[in-house]
Amino acid sequence: MRVDASFDTFVEQRSAALLRLAYLLTGDRGHAEDLLQTALLRTMRRWPKARDAPEPYTRQVMVNLSRDRIRALLRRPRETALPDNPDAFRSPDPGFDGIGERQTVTAALAQLPIRQRQVIVLRYFEDLSIEQTAELVGCSTGTVKSYTSRALSRLRELLGDFHETQEVRASQ
């Protein structure tokens, strides 16, 4: 299949940011890569239409694909994850602390309902406006505000223990 050079340029310039978005939407690196690859394939197929605004087009495809994935997951029996022991991976190097924080935030995001997660990711990680987020998610601006409020409250609950632990560790 012959690919337009402008599509190649778009992929080279924006794939890292789009992969980050996919990861935040799915919470899993492998699923994120699959989501991005599928989204880019669909964007490529519609390149004449998407060429004028390829990133918003690809974002919309990714949000739709993540919704489809969640629907498919809800139809499957639940899997039980192995318990993590984060203390076994502690390191004296302070550079590694940021990795744990990112993993904690990502785990907290994964506990949010899909719509709330999508709104938080699009608003705060992709820095989209309320109107842009509402258009991508397919709801009203009031719903985006409501989801944002609920999601932030839930994240505060989930991350509250983490921050208290960090404060104790810092004071020691």
Side-chain angles (χ1 to χ4, degrees), residues 156-169:
R156 281 186 200 103
E157 291 172 14
L158 294 169
L159 296 173
D161 294 337
F162 173 73
H163 286 293
E164 289 171 9
T165 305
Q166 294 295 77
E167 290 172 5
V168 168
R169 224 184 284 154

Side-chain angles (χ1 to χ4, degrees), residues 6 12 26 49 74 93 104:
S6 61
E12 287 174 17
T26 62
K49 178 182 177 184
L74 292 175
D93 185 353
T104 302

Side-chain angles (χ1 to χ4, degrees), residues 60-124:
Q60 182 67 60
V61 172
M62 291 171 68
V63 168
N64 291 343
L65 288 171
S66 70
R67 266 192 221 142
D68 293 345
R69 179 178 171 268
I70 294 300
R71 286 185 197 125
L73 289 174
L74 292 175
R75 286 186 223 120
R76 290 179 26 189
R78 297 263 181 211
E79 296 178 11
T80 305
L82 294 173
D84 292 338
N85 184 5
D87 294 329
F89 299 106
R90 294 278 179 225
S91 170
D93 185 353
F96 288 109
D97 290 340
I99 294 170
E101 290 175 13
R102 284 192 296 270
Q103 290 174 339
T104 302
V105 170
T106 302
L109 276 172
Q111 293 182 40
L112 294 177
I114 183 65
R115 288 292 186 116
Q116 289 180 12
R117 183 183 334 150
Q118 288 173 340
V119 166
I120 292 295
V121 167
L122 293 172
R123 289 277 294 125
Y124 296 102

Side-chain angles (χ1 to χ4, degrees), residues 33-46:
E33 290 171 353
D34 291 344
L35 180 77
L36 177 59
Q37 184 175 13
T38 304
L40 289 174
L41 180 63
R42 290 187 182 183
T43 302
M44 182 188 67
R45 287 182 184 157
R46 298 285 191 153

Side-chain angles (χ1 to χ4, degrees), residues 2-9 44 47 51:
R2 181 169 265 177
V3 179
D4 189 337
S6 61
F7 177 76
D8 286 339
T9 304
M44 182 188 67
W47 188 245
R51 179 187 323 237

